[in-house]
Structure formats: C-alpha cells, structure tokens
Amino acid sequence: MKALTAAELAKHLSDAERVVGMSLGRTNDVLDVLSATLLLKWASDQAGPLDVPDYARWDAIAARAYHQPGRALNDALSDLIRANDEVLHEPFWRIDFTNLLNDHQAIDLIGHFSRISLRVEDLQFPDTVAAAFDTLLSEAADAAGKKGGEFTTPRSVIDLMVRLAQPEPGQSVCDPFAGSGGMLTGAEDFVAERSGKRGTLRLFAQDINLARCGTTELNLLLHGARHHEVRRDDTLANPLHVTDDGQLRRFDRVLTNPPFSVSYRPRDVRFPERMRYGWTPDTGRRADLMFVQHVLASLKPDGVGVVVTPQGVLFRAGAEGEIRRGIVSDGRLAAVIGIGPNVFYGTAIPACVLVLVGNEAPLHRQRGVLFANAEHEITSGRSRNHLDPRHVEKITSIFHEQREIPHFSRLVSIDEIAENNFNLNIRRYISQAPAAQASLNTQALITGGVPRADVEAQRERFRAFGIELLDLFEPGEWGNLQFPREGLPTVVDSVLERASRREDMFLQELDRWLSDEVHGLAGSDRTLPVLRDNLIESFHRAMAPLRILDEFQLSGLFADWWAARHDDLRELVRSGYQLEILDRLRADFDGRAKRLTARQRQEMVNIYRAWVDQYGTSLVELDERRAKSAAKLRQKLQELGVLWPEGRSWY
C-alpha cells in the first residue's frame, strides 16, 4: 500500500466538504465538522497520543453509521473528551454533529473517512496529518474572505516570523492572539526539524474565539506538541497566562499577528502596568500599539517577540508617537520590516513585522534599529500576494547578519530616529532604488548616442555573461556612444550567442555540484537544517565565482528549490539512495536555474533595446529627415503646378 502524502490527505479533507454537501462558505461549521471528525479518526488510528475508549474507536463509529450516525459521532467525541480532559477542553464540547449534519451527510462523512488510514505506518511521514491540516486551514482562510485573518496567518509569514525569532528546545513560546495556532505549530516544526525531537517546547495560546481555541488545541496535538495551554478570553483585557502568585507570565518567545486597528476600553484592561509607554487617545482609540506593549510586557529579559502590525503604527502622531518614543529610547525595538500589500488574509493593506526584545537581550545592546523595506519581496497572485521562500531567505539573512543593503536594509541609530521625532516610516531611512529605466539625457536625445555613464552602470551585468558592453558600441560625439552600423538584430544575436556560452558553463558547474553534493544527502544521519546550511554554503562556493547570479539570487534559487522538494529531501535522507528521487531533485534544480539565467539574459537584451528606443534616432536626425521630406514634397507639388504661399513652412 502506497504511503499517504500530505497533499493527498489535504485533498481528501477538501473532498469531504463536497461529500457532505457543505461549503467552506460556512467556514465555522465546516471546520468544526472536519476538525472533530479528523480528531476521532486520528486518535483511533494512531496509538499513543490520546486514550481512546472503545466507544470512540472508528470501527465502533462505522458500525453505528446506519443507525443515528450523528449521534454516533457525538457519543464518540464526548467519550474521547472525557478520557482526555487534561488535553481536550471546552471548545470540543460545543460541536454537535446532529445540528450540523443530517443523517445522509453524517453517513457519507463516516464513509469518506473510512476509506483512509491514518496509522503511522500508512503515512509518508509522522507529521503528514499535521501538514494536511495546515493546508485545510489555509483553504478555510481563503474562503472566509474578510474574516480569513481570524483563522490563520499565511504560512510563509509564519515561517518568516519563526525564523526571525529562532526558538530553541526547552523554551516557552506564546501567541496571545492565536487564531488557529499556526505561529505555535510553526515554532514546534522549526525546533523539531533542527533537534530531531518533537514536544520540547512549552506552548501557550490565548484567543477570544471559542471555536478557534478548539482549532488551536487540535492543531497543536497533530503537530506533536506535548506541553501546551490554550485559554479563551480577550488577551488585551484579560490575559490568562499568569504565574501562581497572579503575576503576568513571561516567555522566551512571543509570536503573534493581532487583529488590525480594533478598538478597546482602558477601563477594561487588567494588568495596566503593561502599558508603561502610554495609552492611545479616546478619539479613534486603536489597540495596535497596546498589543505591541502587551508583547513587550510578556517577554523575559532575554526574550524575543515578533509581531505583525499595520504600517500606520510607524508614523501616526500624538499619543502613538510618544509610545514609539518610549519603546525605541529603551532599546526594545530591534527591527522594522515592511511587508508588501495584500499578503495577509482578510486585508489588502501593507503591514510590517516588528522584532521586539527584552531589556537584556543581545540585540538590546546594539542601541539601533534595523530597517528593511521588503515591500517588493513578494510574488503577485490572483487573490493575494505571496512571500516565497527566496523572499523569506533574504529577509531573515539580513536580519541575523545585521547587514546593510542599499535600498533594502539599513541599521539606524536611535539618535537619528530621535532627530526624526521617532517617526518609523521605513522610507525615511531607506531610499528607493532608482527606476529600472533611467531618466532621459537631453544632450543625447539631441545629438544621438547613449550616454557613456548609462553604459558604464551596466557593464558588470554584461561582463558576468562574458560580454564587454563597450564592444557593442562605437565612439560618438559629446561623450556619448553610437550604435554599430550592423543594426540591432545583429547585436542582439551577438549578445544571445555570447551569453549562451556563459550560461552553459554555469549549468555544467551546477550539474557537477548536484552530482557531488545532493547525492551525499542519501541516508545522512544529520538533521535537514544542518544539511541545508552545509549545502547552501557549498552551492555559493561553487556558483558565485561565475557571477551570473548575485548572492541573493543564488540563495533564493536554492531556497525555492529546497522548499518545493522538501518532502523528497526528507525521503532521501530517511531512506537512502533512490535514483528516482535524485533525478527529480536534479531536474527541478536544473529547470529553475535555466529559467532564472534565461531571464537574466533577456534582461540584458531588454536594456540594449531600451537604449535603441530612447536614443536610436537623435532630434537632429529627425529634423534633417523632416527637412528632406518637406523638400521632396515641395518639389512634387511644384511639378504638379500647385503653388504654396511664400514664407509658409513646409513642415
């Protein structure tokens, strides 16, 4: 029997909606039904995670399918909750199959889940069910429209935030606005993949929505989290994770995506000492910076918090400006990362990610803030934009290395921020990159030719492909360069021919690297993250000297490939040498590299074409052509006996 993959199980869960005649348009009801049914099937098929009474086993449910099927599911769920009351809490009691499904739907649902096995030996990987559930949550968020943000954060954003925070085994991690628990399961996956062990984190969640608390509990169970607490209430008003003596609990890491720009009432807020930097005004009282202050108050002295906010918190004046002043002056803000528009579920507005630190964290001592403008680090989609792995790779690398990249990232001192009245608008500190098409040179337009400065600015790009750009021009007047007499088609053919030779060298070197390095992954006893770190370093060493791709293009190419083939890589490491998997890995990497280098080559051609369009014909030449055309027309009219008024211009 072929092992069930996460993609196949995710499709099975999606098909269950159609089987029972429900739609994700009724998102809450569908998630309740599918989550509870998945819980029953998973608990029954997998030995160990939960105590499963006989009445709650799947074969017992299936045996009662044609006699009160909804009641059979309800009874099984109730028995399972009672047997595991330390793990399964209030949210699961609210699910009533008899209210949500008629008998025909319940019978079809039981039959649909009876056709799969969730036993560990029948799954591709131990976390296959968890990965499929993640996909279901993403589909639910997409279907929920404006309310999609209540369910989950896009997985790529979760990956970004977790990699910024870098939780470690044994640490405590909290999401005070948990939704469906994606931040916490992301942290669990991050640590488990690096340590080889699940359940080493202590995870804490709170959310105001009872249904989402249930989803979080199930999500954490499926992801192998052994130590977790999920609480239900408004975190801003009533945080429930407290110590035995009633103090606010503090955590090693806090990861959260709170709701944007909701209102609140100060009189309802317990633990008001959390808001040490101030309160927003009565008029239009937004909670965004209150959420940020809650995260700061929840951090251990050496803790790290990563929080999503609307970009308005960076520059709104008044009380919010004073709150920013206090946070920045105390060295509690490590980074401001601008994210492009339409990335999050339920909102199209641009957001930002703030990295916050405790007052004894290593980044606190640096006394500066790293700004990163990642608004263009997105891929456009039909309904939403996406952060791809290459974007996450670039953002996280510059943060952890504290690198300054022109027009992308900059480390700004607190003194400079103070000079700007603690306005954190990213564009105050990072200038925009010049437009791809430079402004026109008036002198060159008049006299013809391309400004030499424009050509010099592109020489390195062409040299990477073995082309000396100056060879594609002839000397001209006024410091400009003239196009060769043979014309554009001949030059383009020359560029393509020379570039193809350098591309072939690049791809041959890539093939050698793949043969040497990727084959070595088979059966390795090291964890995938360690292998990944070693592999990406050797990839840079092999390919960077060829200069066709810069360091971020190389890292991005690798990151996209690694993420897309992650399951193949896991299988290769687990099972050893498999020619079929190796062929897939090599073919995918090779295809991605060919497409990327082809784009680089075409960009060179486009640059040269743009120069021809801009400067191919000078204004002087155009004037001469018009004069010649006018003279011919005048001569022709005279031959026809047509008189033209004396002194009238012919053009």
mmCIF file of all heavy atoms in Angstrom, residues 248-272:
data_model
loop_
_atom_site.group_PDB
_atom_site.id
_atom_site.type_symbol
_atom_site.label_atom_id
_atom_site.label_comp_id
_atom_site.label_asym_id
_atom_site.label_seq_id
_atom_site.Cartn_x
_atom_site.Cartn_y
_atom_site.Cartn_z
ATOM 1 N N LEU A 248 1.729 38.452 35.668
ATOM 2 C CA LEU A 248 1.733 38.156 34.243
ATOM 3 C C LEU A 248 2.908 37.237 33.924
ATOM 4 O O LEU A 248 4.039 37.503 34.322
ATOM 5 C CB LEU A 248 1.851 39.449 33.442
ATOM 6 C CG LEU A 248 1.590 39.356 31.929
ATOM 7 C CD1 LEU A 248 0.120 39.064 31.654
ATOM 8 C CD2 LEU A 248 2.013 40.662 31.249
ATOM 9 N N ARG A 249 2.625 36.175 33.221
ATOM 10 C CA ARG A 249 3.675 35.223 32.873
ATOM 11 C C ARG A 249 4.549 35.791 31.756
ATOM 12 O O ARG A 249 4.070 36.486 30.869
ATOM 13 C CB ARG A 249 3.061 33.896 32.435
ATOM 14 C CG ARG A 249 4.066 32.786 32.243
ATOM 15 C CD ARG A 249 3.409 31.432 32.263
ATOM 16 N NE ARG A 249 4.388 30.370 32.322
ATOM 17 C CZ ARG A 249 4.113 29.124 32.673
ATOM 18 N NH1 ARG A 249 2.873 28.793 33.021
ATOM 19 N NH2 ARG A 249 5.054 28.202 32.687
ATOM 20 N N ARG A 250 5.834 35.458 31.804
ATOM 21 C CA ARG A 250 6.767 35.920 30.781
ATOM 22 C C ARG A 250 7.322 34.733 30.007
ATOM 23 O O ARG A 250 7.457 33.629 30.540
ATOM 24 C CB ARG A 250 7.898 36.740 31.418
ATOM 25 C CG ARG A 250 7.381 38.010 32.086
ATOM 26 C CD ARG A 250 8.502 38.758 32.795
ATOM 27 N NE ARG A 250 7.968 39.892 33.513
ATOM 28 C CZ ARG A 250 7.840 41.110 33.013
ATOM 29 N NH1 ARG A 250 8.192 41.331 31.748
ATOM 30 N NH2 ARG A 250 7.357 42.097 33.728
ATOM 31 N N PHE A 251 7.677 34.997 28.746
ATOM 32 C CA PHE A 251 8.035 33.918 27.834
ATOM 33 C C PHE A 251 9.356 34.216 27.124
ATOM 34 O O PHE A 251 9.763 35.370 26.972
ATOM 35 C CB PHE A 251 6.932 33.733 26.787
ATOM 36 C CG PHE A 251 5.565 33.549 27.377
ATOM 37 C CD1 PHE A 251 4.704 34.628 27.529
ATOM 38 C CD2 PHE A 251 5.140 32.307 27.813
ATOM 39 C CE1 PHE A 251 3.448 34.475 28.080
ATOM 40 C CE2 PHE A 251 3.885 32.139 28.373
ATOM 41 C CZ PHE A 251 3.031 33.222 28.502
ATOM 42 N N ASP A 252 9.973 33.125 26.643
ATOM 43 C CA ASP A 252 11.212 33.275 25.876
ATOM 44 C C ASP A 252 10.945 33.870 24.497
ATOM 45 O O ASP A 252 11.757 34.639 23.980
ATOM 46 C CB ASP A 252 11.898 31.912 25.708
ATOM 47 C CG ASP A 252 12.325 31.312 27.028
ATOM 48 O OD1 ASP A 252 13.211 31.895 27.674
ATOM 49 O OD2 ASP A 252 11.765 30.261 27.410
ATOM 50 N N ARG A 253 9.847 33.470 23.898
ATOM 51 C CA ARG A 253 9.487 33.965 22.573
ATOM 52 C C ARG A 253 7.983 34.265 22.541
ATOM 53 O O ARG A 253 7.174 33.496 23.077
ATOM 54 C CB ARG A 253 9.805 32.935 21.477
ATOM 55 C CG ARG A 253 11.271 32.541 21.362
ATOM 56 C CD ARG A 253 12.111 33.658 20.800
ATOM 57 N NE ARG A 253 13.492 33.255 20.588
ATOM 58 C CZ ARG A 253 14.465 33.416 21.475
ATOM 59 N NH1 ARG A 253 14.194 33.952 22.671
ATOM 60 N NH2 ARG A 253 15.711 33.043 21.190
ATOM 61 N N VAL A 254 7.641 35.374 21.888
ATOM 62 C CA VAL A 254 6.233 35.700 21.643
ATOM 63 C C VAL A 254 6.082 35.976 20.152
ATOM 64 O O VAL A 254 6.771 36.845 19.607
ATOM 65 C CB VAL A 254 5.765 36.925 22.463
ATOM 66 C CG1 VAL A 254 4.301 37.230 22.144
ATOM 67 C CG2 VAL A 254 5.942 36.670 23.958
ATOM 68 N N LEU A 255 5.229 35.237 19.504
ATOM 69 C CA LEU A 255 4.975 35.373 18.068
ATOM 70 C C LEU A 255 3.487 35.603 17.882
ATOM 71 O O LEU A 255 2.674 34.786 18.332
ATOM 72 C CB LEU A 255 5.387 34.094 17.322
ATOM 73 C CG LEU A 255 6.814 33.595 17.515
ATOM 74 C CD1 LEU A 255 6.972 32.194 16.951
ATOM 75 C CD2 LEU A 255 7.785 34.545 16.846
ATOM 76 N N THR A 256 3.107 36.682 17.202
ATOM 77 C CA THR A 256 1.667 36.933 17.109
ATOM 78 C C THR A 256 1.314 37.869 15.962
ATOM 79 O O THR A 256 2.115 38.716 15.551
ATOM 80 C CB THR A 256 1.140 37.511 18.441
ATOM 81 O OG1 THR A 256 -0.277 37.478 18.441
ATOM 82 C CG2 THR A 256 1.639 38.932 18.675
ATOM 83 N N ASN A 257 0.115 37.685 15.465
ATOM 84 C CA ASN A 257 -0.482 38.532 14.424
ATOM 85 C C ASN A 257 -1.836 39.005 14.933
ATOM 86 O O ASN A 257 -2.875 38.422 14.617
ATOM 87 C CB ASN A 257 -0.624 37.734 13.122
ATOM 88 C CG ASN A 257 -1.294 38.529 12.017
ATOM 89 O OD1 ASN A 257 -1.421 39.750 12.100
ATOM 90 N ND2 ASN A 257 -1.759 37.836 10.988
ATOM 91 N N PRO A 258 -1.874 40.070 15.730
ATOM 92 C CA PRO A 258 -3.133 40.526 16.318
ATOM 93 C C PRO A 258 -4.051 41.133 15.254
ATOM 94 O O PRO A 258 -3.600 41.496 14.159
ATOM 95 C CB PRO A 258 -2.694 41.602 17.321
ATOM 96 C CG PRO A 258 -1.206 41.536 17.383
ATOM 97 C CD PRO A 258 -0.739 40.917 16.109
ATOM 98 N N PRO A 259 -5.336 41.291 15.584
ATOM 99 C CA PRO A 259 -6.237 41.979 14.643
ATOM 100 C C PRO A 259 -5.818 43.431 14.467
ATOM 101 O O PRO A 259 -5.338 44.071 15.405
ATOM 102 C CB PRO A 259 -7.609 41.859 15.313
ATOM 103 C CG PRO A 259 -7.310 41.627 16.764
ATOM 104 C CD PRO A 259 -6.036 40.851 16.807
ATOM 105 N N PHE A 260 -6.004 43.947 13.263
ATOM 106 C CA PHE A 260 -5.571 45.309 12.956
ATOM 107 C C PHE A 260 -6.602 46.343 13.406
ATOM 108 O O PHE A 260 -7.800 46.205 13.154
ATOM 109 C CB PHE A 260 -5.351 45.484 11.454
ATOM 110 C CG PHE A 260 -4.119 44.804 10.908
ATOM 111 C CD1 PHE A 260 -3.283 44.073 11.724
ATOM 112 C CD2 PHE A 260 -3.802 44.902 9.556
ATOM 113 C CE1 PHE A 260 -2.147 43.445 11.226
ATOM 114 C CE2 PHE A 260 -2.670 44.281 9.042
ATOM 115 C CZ PHE A 260 -1.843 43.553 9.881
ATOM 116 N N SER A 261 -6.109 47.386 14.064
ATOM 117 C CA SER A 261 -6.862 48.630 14.311
ATOM 118 C C SER A 261 -8.226 48.414 14.960
ATOM 119 O O SER A 261 -9.199 49.088 14.627
ATOM 120 C CB SER A 261 -7.027 49.405 12.992
ATOM 121 O OG SER A 261 -5.764 49.726 12.447
ATOM 122 N N VAL A 262 -8.319 47.462 15.898
ATOM 123 C CA VAL A 262 -9.556 47.300 16.649
ATOM 124 C C VAL A 262 -9.569 48.298 17.808
ATOM 125 O O VAL A 262 -8.533 48.825 18.215
ATOM 126 C CB VAL A 262 -9.706 45.855 17.182
ATOM 127 C CG1 VAL A 262 -9.785 44.871 16.034
ATOM 128 C CG2 VAL A 262 -8.569 45.494 18.122
ATOM 129 N N SER A 263 -10.742 48.549 18.333
ATOM 130 C CA SER A 263 -10.866 49.492 19.448
ATOM 131 C C SER A 263 -10.801 48.745 20.780
ATOM 132 O O SER A 263 -10.941 47.520 20.835
ATOM 133 C CB SER A 263 -12.180 50.267 19.338
ATOM 134 O OG SER A 263 -13.280 49.372 19.358
ATOM 135 N N TYR A 264 -10.606 49.495 21.857
ATOM 136 C CA TYR A 264 -10.558 48.904 23.193
ATOM 137 C C TYR A 264 -10.946 49.970 24.212
ATOM 138 O O TYR A 264 -10.998 51.161 23.900
ATOM 139 C CB TYR A 264 -9.151 48.373 23.493
ATOM 140 C CG TYR A 264 -8.154 49.463 23.790
ATOM 141 C CD1 TYR A 264 -7.761 49.753 25.091
ATOM 142 C CD2 TYR A 264 -7.617 50.240 22.755
ATOM 143 C CE1 TYR A 264 -6.863 50.777 25.363
ATOM 144 C CE2 TYR A 264 -6.716 51.267 23.024
ATOM 145 C CZ TYR A 264 -6.351 51.526 24.319
ATOM 146 O OH TYR A 264 -5.471 52.535 24.587
ATOM 147 N N ARG A 265 -11.199 49.543 25.442
ATOM 148 C CA ARG A 265 -11.534 50.475 26.518
ATOM 149 C C ARG A 265 -10.525 50.305 27.645
ATOM 150 O O ARG A 265 -10.416 49.213 28.224
ATOM 151 C CB ARG A 265 -12.946 50.208 27.035
ATOM 152 C CG ARG A 265 -14.034 50.480 25.995
ATOM 153 C CD ARG A 265 -15.418 50.358 26.587
ATOM 154 N NE ARG A 265 -15.670 49.041 27.166
ATOM 155 C CZ ARG A 265 -16.830 48.670 27.697
ATOM 156 N NH1 ARG A 265 -17.840 49.535 27.741
ATOM 157 N NH2 ARG A 265 -16.981 47.457 28.191
ATOM 158 N N PRO A 266 -9.773 51.349 27.972
ATOM 159 C CA PRO A 266 -8.737 51.233 29.014
ATOM 160 C C PRO A 266 -9.270 50.712 30.340
ATOM 161 O O PRO A 266 -8.562 49.977 31.044
ATOM 162 C CB PRO A 266 -8.204 52.662 29.139
ATOM 163 C CG PRO A 266 -8.457 53.280 27.805
ATOM 164 C CD PRO A 266 -9.755 52.680 27.330
ATOM 165 N N ARG A 267 -10.495 51.060 30.673
ATOM 166 C CA ARG A 267 -11.012 50.633 31.982
ATOM 167 C C ARG A 267 -11.206 49.123 32.061
ATOM 168 O O ARG A 267 -11.326 48.559 33.156
ATOM 169 C CB ARG A 267 -12.326 51.358 32.293
ATOM 170 C CG ARG A 267 -13.491 50.998 31.393
ATOM 171 C CD ARG A 267 -14.774 51.678 31.890
ATOM 172 N NE ARG A 267 -15.933 51.393 31.057
ATOM 173 C CZ ARG A 267 -16.294 52.097 30.003
ATOM 174 N NH1 ARG A 267 -15.567 53.163 29.650
ATOM 175 N NH2 ARG A 267 -17.369 51.774 29.298
ATOM 176 N N ASP A 268 -11.252 48.454 30.887
ATOM 177 C CA ASP A 268 -11.435 47.002 30.884
ATOM 178 C C ASP A 268 -10.117 46.243 30.984
ATOM 179 O O ASP A 268 -10.114 45.011 31.094
ATOM 180 C CB ASP A 268 -12.140 46.562 29.591
ATOM 181 C CG ASP A 268 -13.568 47.084 29.504
ATOM 182 O OD1 ASP A 268 -14.152 47.379 30.569
ATOM 183 O OD2 ASP A 268 -14.089 47.197 28.371
ATOM 184 N N VAL A 269 -9.003 46.946 30.940
ATOM 185 C CA VAL A 269 -7.698 46.298 30.819
ATOM 186 C C VAL A 269 -7.134 45.939 32.191
ATOM 187 O O VAL A 269 -6.843 46.820 33.013
ATOM 188 C CB VAL A 269 -6.712 47.215 30.059
ATOM 189 C CG1 VAL A 269 -5.314 46.604 30.049
ATOM 190 C CG2 VAL A 269 -7.200 47.452 28.634
ATOM 191 N N ARG A 270 -6.998 44.625 32.433
ATOM 192 C CA ARG A 270 -6.273 44.164 33.622
ATOM 193 C C ARG A 270 -4.772 44.286 33.363
ATOM 194 O O ARG A 270 -4.323 44.380 32.235
ATOM 195 C CB ARG A 270 -6.610 42.707 33.926
ATOM 196 C CG ARG A 270 -8.030 42.472 34.440
ATOM 197 C CD ARG A 270 -8.212 40.998 34.760
ATOM 198 N NE ARG A 270 -7.308 40.553 35.811
ATOM 199 C CZ ARG A 270 -6.732 39.345 35.835
ATOM 200 N NH1 ARG A 270 -6.942 38.482 34.849
ATOM 201 N NH2 ARG A 270 -5.933 39.005 36.832
ATOM 202 N N PHE A 271 -4.005 44.291 34.437
ATOM 203 C CA PHE A 271 -2.551 44.474 34.346
ATOM 204 C C PHE A 271 -2.224 45.729 33.533
ATOM 205 O O PHE A 271 -1.487 45.682 32.541
ATOM 206 C CB PHE A 271 -1.874 43.252 33.709
ATOM 207 C CG PHE A 271 -2.110 41.965 34.438
ATOM 208 C CD1 PHE A 271 -3.043 41.048 33.977
ATOM 209 C CD2 PHE A 271 -1.396 41.667 35.599
ATOM 210 C CE1 PHE A 271 -3.260 39.857 34.641
ATOM 211 C CE2 PHE A 271 -1.611 40.470 36.269
ATOM 212 C CZ PHE A 271 -2.553 39.563 35.794
ATOM 213 N N PRO A 272 -2.743 46.878 33.923
ATOM 214 C CA PRO A 272 -2.484 48.110 33.170
ATOM 215 C C PRO A 272 -1.006 48.486 33.145
ATOM 216 O O PRO A 272 -0.581 49.281 32.302
ATOM 217 C CB PRO A 272 -3.313 49.159 33.905
ATOM 218 C CG PRO A 272 -3.492 48.617 35.281
ATOM 219 C CD PRO A 272 -3.583 47.135 35.127
#
